Amino acid sequence: MSKQPTNEFESEGSFGAAPHERPVPRISIDAFCEFPDTMAALERAASDRRLSKAHLGVQSGGIQGAVKYYGEHPTPNLVMVETSAQGSAVVTELEQLANVCDETTKVIVMGRVNDVQLYRELTRRGVSEYLVAPLNPLQIIETISNLYSGPKAAPIGRVCVFAGSRGGAGASTIAHNVGWYIAETLKIDTAIVDFDLAFGTVGLNFNEDPGQGIADALSAPERLDDVLLERLLIKCGERLSLFAAPALLDRDYEVEVNAYESVIDQVRRSTPCVIVDLPHAWTPWSRQTLLAADEIVIVATPDLASLRNTKNMLDVVRARRPNDAPPRLVMNQMGIPKRPEIPVKEFAAAVGMEPNLVLPFDPHLFGTAANNGQMLPEVQAQAVVSEGMRAIAEMVTGRTSHQVSKKGGRSFLPFLSKKAS
Ligand SMILES: Nc1ncnc2c1ncn2[C@@H]1O[C@H](COP(=O)(O)OP(=O)(O)OP(=O)(O)O)[C@@H](O)[C@H]1O
Ligand SMILES: [Mg+2]
């Protein structure tokens, strides 16, 4: 249970400062309160500078309010719920919440009683913290900060790398659309990192001037702190940031192999979802970036060269990541008129895995989106490929945009069952 400072300015840090000066990263937090004093403390925390990057939404309703809300909305990184219930009644209420929460969501429970047994039971079942009201803003910030920026906190960003099995397969377009969808619809703060320094299309696809962005970061990764990162990233909407490639040919891009990893590490320290757009090349750094990813999406076209390359890429990934789930495979540009193609079934048999998604060739939609600097769903939300972007976004984040699919298939309680034996 979190230690309770006697007043809001008392803390372990000197000069009355909260002990964790690092700002809380760009996570999304929803709080559901039962009592006005808790609500007021959370609202004051929400306007604190240390939470200025995070999105903290405060509403009333307690655990039941949260259960109802997530019946219709995607879950954030962190849910804070207040309860006036006691003992095992709290666990029962939380079981309902677990039913509608995504697996990766962390939960903080705020209660009115100092009950050590309940605290133990809740943490054993995967609840991150149990706070006893009345709360003060700095205590709330410290608790959140400990979860995400404390010395033991894992980096918050999941890194998803998109790679094409051959040049022009569609990896970049799909990566940008998926990143955009994750930020816009799943409401997860996302950074798209374009590692195609000379020919990258992030700037074009989002209709933004790319500047030097990623090239500056890669040429001096040791200088890349929070402040510089903030300067180099292009903000594109409330939750999307772009690390765009300059796409100029007037300079040589000589980058140290480890610089790519350093840049990704820095970005993932503050952003929950990092989409990496890899150029079609096989170099020490691109191999390393691919193999180090949390999620890999290979975009393949149905031709022989692509089949061979896909198989080789999958073999390397399977051999080097024996304890990870296999990469996701997206077959793209199916059904180009008059072009002979390898049927999906044969392709799947040859590479040893079924594609997770098959996308049709849709030149009008892709062409319009590319030429207008728009995303595919912005041009035509109902198109098959737009629906495909949703599917990939949900696959790589484990999040859903609406609750229907969650309720349907879940046979386990995500955070509640995580640690329960
Ligand atoms: N399903 C599709 N239907 C029609 N056109 C598509 C489709 N997928 C991608 N394209 C188009 O193919 C072209 C190449 O796409 P993109 O740049 O995303 O590929 P890439 O794999 O990133 O290529 P590179 O090897 O240059 O990195 C773009 O003009 C894109 O609009
Ligand atoms: Mg590309």
Side-chain angles (χ1 to χ4, degrees):
M1 230 169 309
S2 233
K3 184 177 71 74
Q4 174 100 45
T6 48
N7 69 59
E8 72 184 67
F9 299 108
E10 184 197 333
S11 70
E12 284 160 4
S14 53
F15 308 112
H20 291 281
E21 286 298 329
R22 279 190 70 81
V24 171
R26 294 170 209 282
I27 51 168
S28 48
I29 310 165
D30 289 341
F32 294 85
C33 313
E34 285 204 14
F35 296 91
D37 62 324
T38 308
M39 197 147 178
L42 278 154
E43 275 164 356
R44 286 188 62 186
S47 58
D48 188 278
R49 66 187 163 87
R50 278 158 290 239
L51 277 179
S52 63
K53 287 199 175 115
H55 308 264
L56 169 55
V58 185
Q59 47 190 302
S60 57
I63 298 182
Q64 287 312 320
V67 172
K68 203 157 158 246
Y69 186 79
Y70 297 121
E72 287 148 17
H73 298 90
T75 32
N77 297 94
L78 171 65
V79 180
M80 300 180 71
V81 280
E82 181 168 37
T83 179
S84 49
Q86 301 189 9
S88 61
V90 179
V91 178
T92 312
E93 272 194 313
L94 284 173
E95 275 173 358
Q96 292 173 32
L97 180 62
N99 257 336
V100 292
C101 268
D102 285 307
E103 233 173 309
T104 50
T105 297
K106 288 190 198 309
V107 175
I108 292 176
V109 177
M110 302 170 288
R112 303 301 292 193
V113 277
N114 200 338
D115 177 347
V116 175
Q117 250 190 327
L118 175 62
Y119 167 72
R120 289 209 184 109
E121 179 63 12
L122 292 181
T123 46
R124 194 177 71 87
R125 284 166 171 263
V127 167
S128 298
E129 189 55 90
Y130 178 72
L131 298 175
V132 184
L135 303 171
N136 72 57
L138 288 185
Q139 178 192 14
I140 293 167
I141 295 165
E142 183 184 352
T143 307
I144 299 172
S145 181
N146 274 338
L147 280 185
Y148 290 96
S149 340
K152 286 194 200 139
I156 66 146
R158 275 178 70 75
V159 178
C160 180
V161 172
F162 286 74
S165 66
R166 61 173 302 164
S172 296
T173 313
I174 292 174
H176 306 167
N177 274 275
V178 168
W180 176 86
Y181 186 92
I182 292 172
E184 287 290 317
T185 307
L186 299 182
K187 307 279 181 216
I188 301 172
D189 266 77
T190 303
I192 301 177
V193 180
D194 189 349
F195 276 160
D196 193 345
L197 296 181
F199 302 116
T201 48
V202 158
L204 290 179
N205 282 353
F206 287 95
N207 207 5
E208 296 280 353
D209 176 6
Q212 287 298 315
I214 193 74
D216 278 356
L218 287 170
S219 59
E222 69 289 345
R223 283 182 43 224
L224 191 63
D225 56 11
D226 281 354
V227 179
L228 183 58
L229 189 66
E230 203 70 17
R231 256 205 2 246
L232 295 178
L233 283 174
I234 302 168
K235 275 301 253 182
C236 184
E238 198 192 345
R239 292 169 193 267
L240 184 64
S241 311
L242 309 175
F243 227 152
L248 294 173
L249 302 181
D250 58 354
R251 65 185 260 199
D252 291 331
Y253 298 106
E254 276 172 27
V255 178
E256 272 189 44
V257 173
N258 292 331
Y260 294 90
E261 192 181 357
S262 307
V263 168
I264 291 177
D265 276 348
Q266 186 63 34
V267 179
R268 78 191 304 202
R269 280 169 62 170
S270 63
T271 310
C273 177
V274 183
I275 300 285
V276 177
D277 175 3
L278 270 193
H280 177 68
W282 194 250
T283 60
W285 73 263
S286 67
R287 186 179 58 229
Q288 187 175 308
T289 306
L290 191 73
L291 293 173
D294 294 306
E295 283 281 347
I296 298 173
V297 178
I298 295 177
V299 178
T301 46
D303 55 274
L304 192 57
S306 159
L307 187 149
R308 179 201 61 189
N309 299 349
T310 305
K311 180 161 180 359
N312 288 345
M313 288 165 87
L314 287 173
D315 285 348
V316 172
V317 172
R318 284 185 190 123
R320 296 288 300 276
R321 297 162 49 109
N323 304 316
D324 286 273
R328 319 280 180 171
L329 177 60
V330 176
M331 302 267 332
N332 190 25
Q333 304 190 23
M334 298 299 295
I336 295 185
K338 297 198 178 158
R339 184 187 71 172
E341 66 186 27
I342 302 171
V344 172
K345 225 171 138 191
E346 281 176 32
F347 198 102
V351 302
M353 77 174 281
E354 289 292 326
N356 299 83
L357 196 69
V358 178
L359 295 174
F361 180 64
D362 188 341
H364 185 257
L365 177 51
F366 275 81
T368 310
N371 288 349
N372 294 351
Q374 282 182 301
M375 293 295 108
L376 301 164
E378 288 181 301
V379 177
Q380 202 183 332
Q382 309 305 327
V384 174
V385 283
S386 302
E387 194 48 26
M389 299 306 127
R390 179 190 64 72
I392 304 170
E394 292 184 354
M395 214 154 44
V396 297
T397 57
R399 298 282 174 91
T400 45
S401 53
H402 43 79
Q403 207 53 39
V404 188
S405 46
K406 278 194 228 167
K407 275 181 183 152
R410 218 180 257 301
S411 58
F412 59 95
L413 305 176
F415 66 84
L416 269 193
S417 61
K418 213 166 43 184
K419 290 187 189 162
S421 46

